[in-house]
């Protein structure tokens, strides 16, 4: 094999790997794995590293499958938007059949691995893939309520870790679900604000009432306040075995207030600059809050 052929083969492999990363959204998948691991550490008495590895691997395949199905369904609308037009399917670098093969393979691998932990974990994984693919994705072009529907599969990973650790879905897993559920409204509406023009070109309804106005921001503020209350509620020991110390509740509340501050700034300015700051503060929140919970648990 001469140098030219070797170079072309290497380039093709690099392109394929890059396309697979885009199809399955590796960065997003890893962030979901992070949430699942945090949920597992909150629920477990003694860490079983085999279960932890299986949860991370199964969660990664589960989210990768959802993203691949999503991009297959939205191939044509992705071609319209600047942010997504260079994805492998709209550009034709990857065929729909190959993307479907990846999506199905990841589904089978993800659910099989999660089932090996316990059947409940696999069940919630399957619910997540189904709702994201068959409800949230098609509803994006029908109604702004799609964000509500999408918040359900988006909230499963945090509590999935608890279910993997305990084989139970009780009030503890319910609280973890609610925290991530209410967080998604300010987060995705901030993204919807930033991408409003692009989403409208594709026919997506991602803002409340489908408009960038103060009423949309009022809903952002409303759901942020609920998120803060739900997040600090474990300090009152109303969430079963999942509870936190007052100092952790204060830290969580401060992070929530930081988000709320940018919500009020957006209400006043109605600018993309403040929408971006709100989005970034929401990412900071959902990154640090699980860490605070886990550190708090191991300091009990």
């Amino acid at each position: 094999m001469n140098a030219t052929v070797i170079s072309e083969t290497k380039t093709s492999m690099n392109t394929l790997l890059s396309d697979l990363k885009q199809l399955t959204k590796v960065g997003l998948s890893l962030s979901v794995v992070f949430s699942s691991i945090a949920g597992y550490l909150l629920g477990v008495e003694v860490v079983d590293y085999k279960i932890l590895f299986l949860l991370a691997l199964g969660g990664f395949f589960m989210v990768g499958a959802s993203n691949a199905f999503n991009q297959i369904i939205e191939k044509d609308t992705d071609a319209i938007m600047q942010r997504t037009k260079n994805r492998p399917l709209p550009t034709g670098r990857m065929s729909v059949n190959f993307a479907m093969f990846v999506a199905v393979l990841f589904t089978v691998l993800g659910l099989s691995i999660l089932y090996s932990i316990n059947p409940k974990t696999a069940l919630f994984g399957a619910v997540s893939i189904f709702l994201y693919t068959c409800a949230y994705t098609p509803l994006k072009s029908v109604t702004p309520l799609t964000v509500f529907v999408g918040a359900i599969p988006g909230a499963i990973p945090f509590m999935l870790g608890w279910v993997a650790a305990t084989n139970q879905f009780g009030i503890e897993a319910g609280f973890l679900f609610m925290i991530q559920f209410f967080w998604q409204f300010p987060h995705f509406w901030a993204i919807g604000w930033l991408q409003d023009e692009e989403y409208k070109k594709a026919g997506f309804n991602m803002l409340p009432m489908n408009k960038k106005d103060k009423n949309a921001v009022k809903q952002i503020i409303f759901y942020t306040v609920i998120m803060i209350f739900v997040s600090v509620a474990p300090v009152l020991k109303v969430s079963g075995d999942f509870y936190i110390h007052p100092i952790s509740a204060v830290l969580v509340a401060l992070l929530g207030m930081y988000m709320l501050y940018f919500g009020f700034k957006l209400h006043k300015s109605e600018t993309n600059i403040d929408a971006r700051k709100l989005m970034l503060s929401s990412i900071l929140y959902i990154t640090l809050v699980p860490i605070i919970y886990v550190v708090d648990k191991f300091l009990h």
Side-chain angles (χ1 to χ4, degrees):
M1 188 177 291
N2 60 42
T4 303
V5 173
I6 292 173
S7 176
E8 289 176 351
T9 303
K10 186 177 179 181
T11 301
S12 297
M13 286 300 297
N14 288 339
T15 301
L16 177 61
L17 286 174
S18 174
D19 286 346
L20 284 172
K21 286 180 183 176
Q22 290 185 56
L23 181 72
T24 58
K25 293 187 179 177
V26 170
L28 176 63
S29 301
L30 292 176
S31 70
V32 171
V33 166
F34 168 79
S35 293
S36 297
I37 289 174
Y40 174 81
L41 293 175
L42 287 172
V44 76
E45 292 295 329
V46 178
V47 176
D48 184 329
Y49 289 100
K50 180 185 173 186
I51 298 293
L52 193 63
F53 174 73
L54 290 173
L55 176 65
L57 195 60
F60 176 81
F61 282 129
M62 182 188 76
V63 182
S66 297
N67 291 326
F69 282 127
N70 172 270
Q71 291 188 35
I72 292 168
I73 296 168
E74 295 184 346
K75 174 175 67 72
D76 294 332
T77 48
D78 277 353
I80 298 171
M81 295 188 288
Q82 186 69 27
R83 184 175 60 88
T84 54
K85 68 179 185 182
N86 289 320
R87 284 177 174 173
L89 286 169
T91 56
R93 293 195 308 273
M94 183 181 288
S95 71
V96 171
N97 287 342
F98 183 76
M100 183 62 77
F101 169 76
V102 173
V104 172
L105 178 65
F106 273 38
T107 301
V108 172
L109 288 174
L111 295 183
S112 299
I113 292 169
L114 294 179
Y115 188 85
S116 71
I117 299 173
N118 61 56
K120 286 192 181 76
T121 305
L123 173 64
F124 284 116
V127 168
S128 176
I129 293 174
F130 175 79
L131 286 178
Y132 191 84
T133 304
C134 300
Y136 165 70
T137 299
L139 283 175
K140 284 166 74 175
S141 58
V142 178
T143 171
L145 289 175
T146 187
V147 174
F148 178 85
V149 176
I152 299 172
I156 286 179
F158 204 8
M159 68 89 167
L160 193 73
W162 185 284
V163 175
T166 64
N167 196 21
Q168 292 181 349
F169 180 81
I171 192 169
E172 300 89 351
F175 260 88
L176 294 177
F177 176 87
M178 286 194 294
I179 291 164
Q180 210 161 22
F181 178 79
F182 289 115
W183 167 82
Q184 288 180 80
F185 293 96
H187 176 71
F188 282 105
W189 281 334
I191 294 174
W193 187 287
L194 290 168
Q195 298 292 329
D196 188 52
E197 288 76 18
E198 288 282 284
Y199 282 147
K200 280 180 176 162
K201 279 197 295 185
F204 292 159
N205 307 291
M206 301 302 287
L207 282 172
M209 309 303 172
N210 207 22
K211 286 194 296 188
K212 289 170 68 170
D213 59 13
K214 288 191 185 297
N215 287 329
V217 186
K218 285 177 183 173
Q219 295 206 42
I220 288 173
I221 292 170
F222 174 73
Y223 281 100
T224 304
V225 170
I226 294 179
M227 177 201 73
I228 295 170
F229 278 120
V230 174
S231 300
V232 301
V235 74
L236 302 174
K237 300 187 177 180
V238 294
S239 45
D241 291 335
F242 168 44
Y243 61 92
I244 57 176
H245 288 105
I247 183 64
S248 297
V250 170
L251 292 174
V252 170
L254 287 174
L255 284 168
M257 296 299 286
Y258 187 60
M259 262 183 77
L260 198 57
Y261 167 73
F262 289 114
F264 280 113
K265 283 200 73 175
L266 179 60
H267 185 267
K268 182 178 180 182
S269 68
E270 298 185 49
T271 63
N272 282 359
I273 293 174
D274 285 326
R276 185 176 301 281
K277 289 177 180 175
L278 173 63
M279 181 197 68
L280 293 175
S281 68
S282 70
I283 294 172
L284 184 70
Y285 185 88
I286 207 62
T287 302
L288 292 183
V289 167
I291 293 174
I292 292 171
Y293 286 159
V294 171
V295 171
D296 181 278
K297 182 239 174 105
F298 285 99
L299 290 178
H300 279 171

